[in-house]
Amino acid sequence: MSKLAQWLRPHESRFFALLEAQARQAQRGVHLLGEIVEMKPGEAELRRYAERMRALEQEGDAIRRNVIEELIRSFMTPMDREDIYDLSRSLDDILDYAHTTVQEFLVYAIPFEPAIHEMAEALKDGVDALAEAVAGLVKPGPSVHAAIVRAKKMENRMEELYRESNAELFLSQDVHHIFRMREVYRHLSNAADRLDRAADMVGSILIKGLG
């Protein structure tokens, strides 16, 4: 590699570190969501939890902005720009949906039913696996692929829970209850969808790196 190319090439660790930071931030947000569901707080405590989640979401947005700024500044990147951008966006979306779910807990006075607990647990397990996969991008190995598989299995489990929960929900005679619970289920499902996309992006990056 020429001296010019060496000077232009960014430190690979910069992008890997930012993506891992985003994954860890999403992980913290989803774990906080799980803690809320587990604790079943009253309104006053839930508001305090919501403020913590809001702070996490804002910190996540700042990391996302750093990723975009690095993409704009860097002449060369350690992986495709589009892959970095798309993976970053999916990680940010996971945290955003965790945040909006907690906001809906407040606005709709959502009861913490067993279905929400199961979905939050599946999402948490999936994000744990995803964070492990993203952290492994800097030095890929078999464990990264295994983490991707675990993340996608949890997304599949999440979708099963989503369908089962909706089917049970429609047995209710309370229309208001149906609509407010569906909103929460939908946001949890959307978070799982972004989890699946992010896992696919990590897999795509690994495959391209082997080419």
Side-chain angles (χ1 to χ4, degrees), residues 33-34 36-38 40 105 110-123 157-158 160-162 164-166 168-169 177 181 184-185 188:
L33 173 65
I36 294 168
V37 173
E38 184 72 27
K40 301 178 181 178
F105 286 165
I110 296 295
F112 297 104
E113 296 180 350
I116 291 180
H117 181 272
E118 289 185 87
M119 293 171 80
E121 282 296 308
L123 186 60
R157 174 58 181 155
M158 185 73 165
E160 289 175 4
L161 289 168
Y162 176 70
E164 291 169 2
S165 299
N166 271 299
E168 185 174 343
L169 184 61
H177 178 70
M181 296 302 291
V184 171
Y185 293 167
L188 289 168

Side-chain angles (χ1 to χ4, degrees), residues 26 54 59 73 90-91 125 130 138 140 143 153 166 171-172 175 187 189 207 209-210:
R54 183 167 178 258
E59 291 166 8
R73 265 199 308 263
S90 292
L91 293 170
D125 290 345
L130 177 62
V138 68
S143 62
K153 281 184 178 179
N166 271 299
L171 298 176
S172 171
V175 175
H187 279 89
S189 176
I207 292 171
L210 295 173

Side-chain angles (χ1 to χ4, degrees), residues 6-166:
Q6 289 176 345
W7 180 76
L8 290 172
R9 186 180 181 86
H11 296 295
E12 292 190 355
S13 60
R14 186 166 56 204
F15 283 102
F16 291 128
L18 283 170
L19 290 172
E20 182 179 357
Q22 269 200 284
R24 296 301 181 192
Q25 194 72 2
Q27 187 180 31
R28 281 188 282 271
V30 170
H31 273 253
L32 181 57
L33 173 65
E35 181 182 337
I36 294 168
V37 173
E38 184 72 27
M39 296 300 293
K40 301 178 181 178
E43 183 180 351
E45 190 178 0
L46 181 55
R47 289 189 182 279
R48 289 192 287 273
Y49 271 118
E51 284 301 313
R52 287 172 57 190
M53 181 66 83
R54 183 167 178 258
L56 287 176
E57 193 269 339
Q58 290 176 337
E59 291 166 8
D61 285 345
I63 301 170
R64 166 75 169 152
R65 286 193 296 272
N66 287 338
V67 171
I68 294 173
E69 288 168 4
E70 288 293 339
L71 284 172
I72 293 170
R73 265 199 308 263
S74 300
F75 183 78
M76 298 176 68
T77 59
M79 59 191 93
D80 286 352
R81 291 175 182 274
E82 293 82 0
D83 290 346
I84 295 172
Y85 184 88
D86 289 344
L87 176 55
S88 173
R89 180 175 58 188
S90 292
L91 293 170
D92 188 59
D93 284 346
I94 294 169
L95 183 53
D96 285 346
Y97 279 120
H99 176 236
T100 55
T101 299
V102 175
Q103 291 298 310
E104 288 177 341
F105 286 165
L106 269 174
V107 173
Y108 298 134
I110 296 295
F112 297 104
E113 296 180 350
I116 291 180
H117 181 272
E118 289 185 87
M119 293 171 80
E121 282 296 308
L123 186 60
K124 186 169 67 174
D125 290 345
V127 172
D128 285 348
L130 177 62
E132 181 182 336
V134 173
L137 277 173
V138 68
K139 194 175 180 180
S143 62
V144 179
H145 176 70
I148 292 170
V149 171
R150 290 203 311 275
K152 291 184 70 66
K153 281 184 178 179
M154 284 301 101
E155 189 275 337
N156 290 337
R157 174 58 181 155
M158 185 73 165
E159 289 308 301
E160 289 175 4
L161 289 168
Y162 176 70
R163 289 191 294 271
E164 291 169 2
S165 299
N166 271 299

